[in-house]
Amino acid sequence: MNSAGHPEATARRGLELTPFRGLRYDPDRVGSLAAVTSPPYDVVVRPDGLLHLESADPHNIVRLILPQAATPEARNEQAARTLHRWTAEGVLTTDPEPGLYVYEQRDGEDLLQRGVIGAVRVSDPAEQVVLPHEDVMPHVVADRAALMRATRANLEPLLLTYRGDGGTPFTTALVERTAAQPPLLSTTTEDGFCHRLWSVTDPDTVARVRSELSHHQALIADGHHRWATYRTLRAEHPSPGPWDHGLVLLVDTARYPLRVRAIHRLLHDVPVHDALAALAGHFRVRRLESPLDESLNALAKAADAGNAFLLAGDGAFHLVDRPDPGLLARTVPTGRPEAWRTLDATVLHATLLAHVWHVPDDSAAHISYIHDTAATVEKAERDGGTAVLMHPVREEVVRELARQGVTMPRKSTSFGPKPASGLVLRALDA
């Protein structure tokens, strides 16, 4: 393939999408479908957000994807018991026929995204079928793997993107035609997004979709840790078997471009004053007397000219840019493409965290990764830490690096909209 998602003339193995019998909430057994959904597990970062979801409905999916107990083992056992109880009670029911699912997300008139949910064959990186673009944290993969082993289920789909570019005419037409029919479910979550889901069970239709997608590769837009979990668990279980596949949402970004947003950092043990003091002589630092939105605009302008970050946590915003070239030369690893070496995330992790602030980037005790900008600032101000606000990287840069097999630093991007968790699950024993 000459670019991510383009068909190729050789016989390289591509995406292998398999129908499955979806495990879904019975609308008659829950307060509302919206009340049992959740953002993906790694977006629910604040305790108040977790408590809000838990109180929305006693059957909210967060009780499965983020179970609460004293130890990891107890959490996983609790999730497994909860899933078993909900299926035994009919709160969750298995669809009678295997199929693929067309999924639509709409945010008023501003955004429309449609894609296909299915079980994709778990492949190795060398196959270049599913392309990661970020590094992962081993302890997170181990945590997700233990949960998946206990529940024997894919509890939430990860988000993959491909480029149809005229190579998937049947799949494209099927998605649009299906979206004109009455859905299996329709619900609007509190963030204003309307979610609709349809099943496609006709064997000939499914076969044609699978055939078209078999000539394509995909980029992991969201869910690197879950994909690494799929690979870990596939290696542990005999093949062929249900662990050979993992639950995904596939979106053709030639037709439905995704939003690309940044993931911010919260340094728990570094007060803003100390963070700024350590930057002296290494970066230009300017205090901004402006609110969050205007400060982010200033960050965007600075990022057009080079590496730039916005620090917060002391009631103000501090624009950090113009790094010392000598410092970058000493700290940023060589032997990688220039596009990787000049990423903000690369400079943050290789230069700022490792050499200026001396903060380990793989320990939740020292650093948190938060998607919500305002929440990052609020938590830094409340806890006395430092919020490091990032500017998003362009999607074309992400794709090109992934095509070259170069992974970005962990949590470098946030593609969206992300699929809601709780609309359809995949039980591995179904």
Side-chain angles (χ1 to χ4, degrees):
M1 294 182 188
N2 55 12
S3 66
H6 287 196
E8 59 180 4
T10 61
R12 177 184 289 171
R13 200 174 182 183
L15 289 167
E16 296 180 33
L17 197 63
T18 299
F20 69 103
R21 296 174 64 203
L23 184 63
R24 297 189 295 110
Y25 282 99
D26 181 344
D28 295 331
R29 299 297 304 274
V30 297
S32 73
L33 289 174
V36 296
T37 64
S38 165
Y41 79 96
D42 57 340
V43 180
V44 185
V45 294
R46 296 186 298 174
D48 55 336
L50 179 64
L51 292 172
H52 174 71
L53 291 166
E54 287 182 332
S55 62
D57 189 285
H59 301 108
N60 189 284
I61 190 68
V62 78
R63 297 180 185 276
L64 299 181
I65 63 175
L66 289 172
Q68 300 299 297
T71 66
E73 294 78 12
R75 289 197 293 270
N76 297 330
E77 291 172 4
Q78 178 175 292
R81 288 194 303 270
T82 300
L83 179 58
H84 177 76
R85 185 174 71 253
W86 289 357
T87 54
E89 294 173 350
V91 174
L92 289 168
T93 61
T94 304
D95 285 337
E97 297 179 79
L100 303 175
Y101 295 83
V102 172
Y103 175 46
E104 176 189 277
Q105 295 163 276
R106 185 188 294 270
D107 180 15
E109 300 298 324
D110 297 331
L111 186 144
L112 173 66
Q113 178 173 286
R114 291 174 178 150
V116 177
I117 295 177
V120 76
R121 181 181 68 87
V122 179
S123 55
D124 293 321
E127 298 180 63
Q128 289 195 309
V129 174
V130 175
L131 304 176
H133 69 265
E134 289 183 356
D135 295 330
V136 297
M137 292 175 275
H139 74 275
V140 177
V141 176
D143 175 75
R144 291 292 101 184
L147 177 63
M148 212 173 293
R149 286 189 204 98
T151 58
R152 294 188 60 84
N154 299 154
L155 299 172
E156 45 185 348
L158 53 86
L159 176 60
L160 303 183
T161 70
Y162 68 100
R163 301 285 298 181
D165 289 334
T168 56
F170 181 83
T171 303
T172 299
L174 172 69
V175 168
E176 303 307 311
R177 185 172 66 249
T178 302
Q181 305 300 315
L184 275 178
L185 65 85
S186 178
T187 189
T188 300
T189 46
E190 65 179 8
D191 58 4
F193 271 88
C194 177
H195 306 262
R196 298 199 297 167
L197 191 76
W198 299 260
S199 65
V200 178
T201 58
D202 175 69
D204 292 338
T205 301
V206 169
R208 292 187 66 178
V209 171
R210 296 184 67 195
S211 176
E212 283 191 343
L213 292 176
S214 70
H215 300 290
H216 287 71
Q217 63 182 177
L219 175 75
I220 301 177
D222 184 67
H224 282 81
H225 289 91
R226 280 167 283 169
W227 181 255
T229 297
Y230 289 166
R231 293 189 58 242
T232 296
L233 295 174
R234 185 203 61 178
E236 295 176 359
H237 293 83
S239 183
W243 301 92
D244 290 346
H245 295 79
L247 185 63
V248 304
L249 166 64
L250 275 164
V251 173
D252 178 2
T253 52
R255 187 168 182 83
Y256 296 107
L258 270 64
R259 294 173 174 170
V260 186
R261 293 176 173 166
I263 302 177
H264 309 296
R265 276 65 169 162
L266 174 63
L267 312 184
H268 297 296
D269 302 322
V270 182
V272 176
H273 178 271
D274 293 350
L276 294 173
L279 295 173
H282 299 308
F283 287 76
R284 181 175 70 167
V285 179
R286 288 175 287 165
R287 181 185 176 98
L288 303 181
E289 301 296 340
S290 55
L292 176 58
D293 288 349
E294 293 180 19
S295 297
L296 289 173
N297 289 336
L299 172 64
K301 291 179 181 179
D304 287 339
N307 300 119
F309 311 91
L310 194 64
L311 271 56
D314 61 350
F317 295 101
H318 307 270
L319 184 61
V320 176
D321 64 353
R322 296 188 184 180
D324 171 30
L327 175 66
L328 297 185
R330 294 192 302 273
T331 56
V332 175
T334 58
R336 297 284 189 99
E338 183 68 11
W340 181 88
R341 300 186 74 249
T342 56
L343 287 170
D344 286 340
T346 298
V347 171
L348 172 63
H349 284 256
T351 303
L352 286 170
L353 293 178
H355 291 274
V356 176
W357 293 328
H358 305 289
V359 175
D361 68 353
D362 59 352
S363 171
H366 298 284
I367 186 169
S368 293
Y369 298 85
I370 306 178
H371 295 73
D372 186 275
T373 308
T376 311
V377 175
E378 291 168 7
K379 188 165 179 58
E381 293 179 346
R382 184 172 64 245
D383 299 346
T386 295
V388 183
L389 306 183
M390 309 282 288
H391 184 67
V393 64
R394 299 191 313 277
E395 181 180 358
E396 56 266 31
V397 173
V398 177
R399 282 191 178 277
E400 179 58 25
L401 288 173
R403 188 188 66 79
Q404 297 177 48
V406 178
T407 54
M408 300 164 63
R410 59 181 66 94
K411 300 293 185 181
S412 293
T413 58
S414 176
F415 283 88
K418 306 175 191 302
S421 299
L423 296 180
V424 60
L425 292 66
R426 174 176 175 254
L428 275 73
D429 296 326

